[in-house]
C-alpha cells in the first residue's frame, strides 16, 4: 500500500491545507496524491487505527492490515501527514457502529473554516435492518459489528473473546455475509447456515464464494427469507423463514423474490448474523443547515461529482457509492484528490 506512489519525497508546499475525514482506503489514497502535489494534509478518524474496514472489518486472510498500516506510517513519517485518531467529525448528531473508541468530537463546520478543502471519506458504518420481529434480541448481531469485534480482539484493542456459538445463521449473500459465515466457522461453531432469498446465481458475492463456503462445510439455503426471530427470555432460539420463488426483475435487474404462502420453516440458532448490507455514514445530518441539501430523504449523500455544490467539501469512496471493493475505493480517493487539486489551484 504505497499511497505516495506519485513521488519519492515531499515536494515544496503550496501553502494550502486539506482535511480528510476518514482514514480508510479512499482517504489514505487521496492523502497520498495530495501530499505529492504539495498540499498539507491532516486526517481525522474515529477509530484507534487507520485503514477503515480494511483494518477493522475485513478478515486478515483477505487483506493484510499491516500493509495498510505501513502505508499510513509512511505518510506520517516521510510526508508530514498528521493523523488524529479517536476523533469523530460530524455536523449534527448521530451514533454509528464503530463509535466505540471516540474520545473527542469536532464539528465539521469548524474544519470547513480552518481548511482550504475537506474530503469526506467516512465509509459505511451502519448496517441495514431485517425489519422482522425479534431483531433486537440477544444473540442477533449484525455482520459489521460481529467482524469489527473480532478484529478489535485481533489487534489487542479489546480482550473479551466472543462465546463459542453452537448454531449460527447468517442472512445474506454479499461479501460481509461470506466473511461472517467463514469467521463463525473459524470459531468452531457446530453448524453454520448461510441463507439467501434468491439463488447462488444472483448472490452479490458471486457463485465462487458460495461454492467455496459449501466445500468448507457451511450449509447453503437459498430462496428463503426471514419472517421473525424466535426468542426465549429475549434471547434468540431460532429463526422462522418463508420459502421464496423468483419473479420478474426488480429495480436491481435481478429476479424479485416472491413469498410462497404457507411455506414457513424454522432453523434453530443461538447466533443470528444479519448481513444484508451497510449504509453510508456521512459526517453530517439533516440538523446541519450548511450541508443538509446534499442529503436525500434516507440521509445518503447527493452529488453529481466529487464536490458538494459550491462548497469546499468533497466526497469519495463508499460513503458516496455504497459498499464497494478496495480497488474502487482507492480509485475514488485518487479521482476526488485530483478534483481537489483542480479546485485549489483555481484551474
Amino acid at each position: 500500500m504505497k499511497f505516495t506512489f506519485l513521488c519519492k519525497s515531499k515536494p515544496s508546499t503550496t501553502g494550502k491545507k486539506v482535511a480528510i475525514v476518514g482514514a480508510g482506503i479512499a482517504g489514505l489514497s487521496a492523502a497520498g496524491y495530495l501530499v505529492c502535489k504539495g498540499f498539507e494534509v491532516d486526517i481525522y478518524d474515529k477509530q484507534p487505527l487507520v485503514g477503515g474496514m480494511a483494518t477493522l472489518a475485513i478478515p486478515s486472510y483477505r487483506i493484510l492490515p499491516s500493509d495498510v498500516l505501513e502505508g499510513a506510517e509512511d505518510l506520517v513519517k516521510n510526508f508530514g501527514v498528521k493523523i488524529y485518531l479517536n476523533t469523530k467529525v460530524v455536523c449534527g448528531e448521530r451514533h454509528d457502529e464503530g463509535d466505540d473508541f471516540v474520545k473527542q468530537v469536532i464539528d465539521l463546520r469548524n474544519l470547513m473554516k480552518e481548511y482550504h478543502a475537506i474530503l469526506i471519506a467516512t465509509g459505511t458504518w451502519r448496517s441495514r435492518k431485517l425489519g422482522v420481529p425479534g431483531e433486537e434480541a440477544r444473540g442477533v448481531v449484525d455482520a459489521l459489528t460481529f467482524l469489527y469485534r473480532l478484529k478489535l480482539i485481533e489487534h489487542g484493542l479489546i480482550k473479551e473473546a466472543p462465546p463459542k456459538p453452537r448454531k449460527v445463521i447468517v442472512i445474506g449473500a454479499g461479501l460481509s455475509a461470506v466473511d461472517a459465515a467463514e469467521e463463525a466457522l473459524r470459531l468452531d461453531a457446530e453448524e453454520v447456515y448461510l441463507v439467501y432469498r434468491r439463488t447462488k446465481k444472483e448472490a452479490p458475492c458471486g457463485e465462487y464464494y458460495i461454492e467455496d463456503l459449501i466445500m468448507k462445510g457451511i450449509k447453503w439455503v437459498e430462496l428463503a427469507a426471514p419472517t421473525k426471530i424466535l426468542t426465549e427470555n429475549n434471547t434468540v432460539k431460532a429463526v422462522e423463514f418463508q420459502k421464496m420463488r423468483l419473479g420478474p426483475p426488480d429495480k436491481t435487474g435481478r429476479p424479485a423474490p416472491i413469498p410462497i404462502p404457507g411455506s414457513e420453516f424454522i432453523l434453530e440458532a443461538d447466533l443470528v448474523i444479519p448481513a444484508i448490507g451497510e449504509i453510508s455514514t456521512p459526517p453530517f445530518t439533516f440538523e446541519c443547515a450548511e450541508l443538509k441539501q446534499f442529503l436525500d430523504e434516507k440521509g445518503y449523500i447527493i452529488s453529481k461529482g466529487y464536490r458538494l455544490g459550491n462548497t469546499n467539501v468533497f466526497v469519495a469512496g463508499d460513503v458516496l457509492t455504497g459498499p464497494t471493493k478496495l480497488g474502487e475505493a482507492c480509485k475514488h480517493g485518487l479521482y476526488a484528490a485530483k478534483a481537489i487539486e483542480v479546485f485549489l489551484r483555481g484551474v
Side-chain angles (χ1 to χ4, degrees):
M1 288 288 182
K2 182 68 173 176
F3 298 112
T4 53
F5 65 91
L6 285 174
C7 61
K8 293 182 179 180
S9 60
K10 184 178 179 180
S12 57
T13 181
T14 63
K16 299 291 181 67
K17 294 178 61 179
V18 180
I20 296 177
V21 184
I25 297 300
L28 293 172
S29 299
Y33 181 98
L34 290 167
V35 293
C36 281
K37 297 297 182 177
F39 299 104
E40 301 296 322
V41 176
D42 293 344
I43 302 176
Y44 297 83
D45 197 283
K46 65 182 182 179
Q47 300 293 353
L49 292 174
V50 300
M53 291 192 181
T55 304
L56 291 165
I58 300 174
S60 299
Y61 48 81
R62 302 212 190 282
I63 180 173
L64 292 175
S66 59
D67 290 346
V68 181
L69 296 174
E70 288 171 10
E73 185 179 3
D74 174 58
L75 284 172
V76 174
K77 280 188 173 182
N78 300 318
F79 294 88
V81 173
K82 295 178 182 177
I83 301 178
Y84 300 92
L85 297 174
N86 306 109
T87 303
K88 183 170 182 175
V89 176
V90 67
C91 177
E93 289 190 16
R94 188 185 63 235
H95 177 79
D96 301 315
E97 294 161 45
D99 279 1
D100 308 54
F101 293 92
V102 172
K103 293 181 180 178
Q104 65 173 330
V105 178
I106 295 177
D107 194 311
L108 176 62
R109 290 168 293 190
N110 292 337
L111 296 188
M112 291 170 65
K113 296 173 184 176
E114 294 172 16
Y115 291 86
H116 296 95
I118 310 291
L119 176 62
I120 292 171
T122 46
T124 53
W125 284 93
R126 276 187 293 168
S127 295
R128 296 184 185 278
K129 298 294 185 181
L130 293 172
V132 300
E135 190 171 9
E136 303 303 322
R138 288 190 299 271
V140 180
V141 182
D142 64 81
L144 178 54
T145 299
F146 177 69
L147 295 169
Y148 177 61
R149 296 204 171 275
L150 290 178
K151 293 294 287 188
L152 291 177
I153 293 169
E154 179 183 319
H155 289 294
L157 294 168
I158 61 173
K159 295 181 179 179
E160 184 180 352
K164 176 184 173 181
R166 190 171 62 88
K167 294 186 177 182
V168 181
I169 296 175
V170 180
I171 301 169
L175 291 174
S176 295
V178 169
D179 289 343
E182 195 156 352
E183 289 292 291
L185 201 62
R186 290 160 68 91
L187 289 175
D188 283 335
E190 294 176 14
E191 291 182 318
V192 179
Y193 289 88
L194 184 59
V195 185
Y196 182 50
R197 59 182 182 166
R198 294 183 175 92
T199 74
K200 68 178 68 171
K201 291 182 179 180
E202 292 81 35
C205 67
E207 287 188 70
Y208 166 81
Y209 278 113
I210 302 299
E211 296 293 345
D212 182 60
L213 291 177
I214 292 172
M215 290 180 62
K216 290 175 179 175
I218 288 172
K219 298 180 180 180
W220 168 252
V221 180
E222 61 183 34
L223 292 172
T227 55
K228 68 175 96 171
I229 310 290
L230 305 177
T231 64
E232 184 177 303
N233 297 323
N234 198 36
T235 300
V236 64
K237 292 297 178 183
V239 181
E240 180 185 271
F241 291 93
Q242 186 173 29
K243 293 182 180 179
M244 315 293 280
R245 63 179 178 84
L246 296 182
D250 59 16
K251 61 181 180 181
T252 70
R254 296 174 295 170
I258 299 174
I260 299 175
S263 62
E264 291 80 6
F265 65 97
I266 292 173
L267 291 176
E268 293 184 0
D270 59 341
L271 176 60
V272 177
I273 306 176
I276 56 173
E278 290 78 44
I279 301 170
S280 64
T281 47
F284 57 94
T285 69
F286 290 108
E287 300 170 7
C288 186
E290 291 83 351
L291 295 171
K292 66 180 182 179
Q293 68 268 31
F294 300 111
L295 295 174
D296 66 14
E297 68 279 0
K298 294 183 179 179
Y300 300 166
I301 290 179
I302 304 169
S303 177
K304 295 181 180 179
Y306 296 104
R307 185 181 176 191
L308 297 185
N310 293 321
T311 71
N312 65 339
V313 180
F314 293 74
V315 61
D318 290 5
V319 70
L320 180 60
T321 65
T324 58
K325 295 182 179 179
L326 296 181
E328 284 294 312
C330 177
K331 182 182 76 172
H332 233 241
L334 293 172
Y335 284 9
K338 177 65 176 178
I340 291 173
E341 180 192 14
V342 170
F343 167 70
L344 293 180
R345 294 191 189 279
V347 178

